[in-house]
Amino acid sequence: MPAADTLRLQLVRNATIRLSVGSRTLLIDPYLADAHLGISYAGAERSPLVPLPFPIAEVLDGVDAVFISHLHSDHFDETARQVLPRDLPILCPAMLEEAISGFGFSDVTGIGE
């Protein structure tokens, strides 16, 4: 098990990051759709442009909580809304708490005003 002061930052894709501090892991801005299954942001190719570098199960493995910065689909997409466990703690700006709870998540905590 990692020491309490161990910090690990792993870029998954786009803004999706796994941040581990000691034995705790936070998933930030989960964008988990397969390549080319999302919307087109530039009017050309559908996003995401590249596949996840490893399976969703590995992205979620050991995650203790999720932080969602905002609700753009490249930070919290339909796939993430479907695969994240409904009782996994979610942290978000306070103004998003109701919307994220509305997706069926039971442990949502708004931060700030």
Side-chain angles (χ1 to χ4, degrees):
M1 184 175 314
D5 60 350
T6 300
L7 176 73
R8 182 172 182 220
L9 183 69
Q10 180 182 30
L11 175 64
V12 176
R13 175 181 64 195
N14 194 47
T16 305
I17 296 170
R18 286 175 51 101
L19 174 63
S20 298
V21 180
S23 63
R24 302 287 186 182
T25 299
L26 181 67
L27 180 63
I28 301 170
D29 286 340
Y31 185 28
L32 304 177
D34 286 335
H36 309 292
L37 291 183
I39 66 171
S40 172
Y41 292 100
E45 288 188 73
R46 294 170 59 98
S47 294
L49 300 179
V50 298
L52 286 169
F54 37 86
I56 289 176
E58 285 184 43
V59 175
L60 300 180
D61 186 42
V63 168
D64 297 294
V66 176
F67 177 76
I68 298 168
S69 66
H70 60 287
L71 296 180
H72 290 170
S73 63
D74 59 337
H75 291 259
F76 185 49
D77 67 340
E78 179 65 30
T79 301
R81 291 193 300 268
Q82 291 174 3
V83 302
L84 290 175
R86 294 293 179 235
D87 61 348
L88 185 64
I90 295 181
L91 308 169
C92 62
M95 65 184 201
L96 300 180
E97 186 174 351
E98 186 176 327
I100 293 171
S101 293
F103 292 127
F105 295 96
S106 61
D107 190 356
V108 181
T109 302
I111 301 170
E113 295 181 14

